[in-house]
Amino acid sequence: MLFAITCTDKPGALELRMATRPAHLEYVARHAMSLVLVGPLLTPEGTPAGSLFIVDLPDRAAAEAFAAGDPYAGAGLFESTVIRPFRTVYKDGAAVPA
């Protein structure tokens, strides 16, 4: 099942994000088989301000565990984390059958 996980950084936390980034990238790499799309959310100036994960996991509990296990979450980087089921409608310029 697909889930969109949207994490918003606390204000002024860029230094914490950068210090935790190597551990975060290692964590993400260990879960590569579950990742559909992953990347930082940016400010208008292009500075990281959050994270977006589209993950394929068995259920909401697994999505919650994935989000909680991210070193960014463990470091207290996020002001909020929202997990929602996700359905792909278009991918790579083509409609995806329902």
Side-chain angles (χ1 to χ4, degrees):
M1 179 173 200
L2 294 179
F3 293 89
I5 303 172
T6 308
C7 307
T8 303
D9 292 1
K10 291 178 180 173
L14 182 59
E15 193 172 306
L16 175 59
R17 171 178 274 273
M18 299 315 292
T20 312
R21 188 170 186 264
H24 163 76
L25 293 176
E26 288 175 17
Y27 180 78
V28 169
R30 285 195 311 270
H31 292 85
M33 296 304 295
S34 298
L35 307 178
V36 176
L37 178 71
V38 174
L41 299 170
L42 305 175
T43 66
E45 298 76 33
T47 304
S51 298
L52 173 66
F53 302 89
I54 306 294
V55 295
D56 189 356
L57 293 165
D59 53 35
R60 183 175 181 88
E64 290 172 355
F66 172 81
D70 185 342
Y72 281 164
L77 175 64
F78 299 134
E79 176 178 74
S80 66
T81 299
V82 177
I83 301 171
R84 292 195 171 113
F86 180 82
R87 180 173 48 92
T88 304
V89 176
Y90 271 82
K91 184 174 180 178
D92 300 327
V96 174

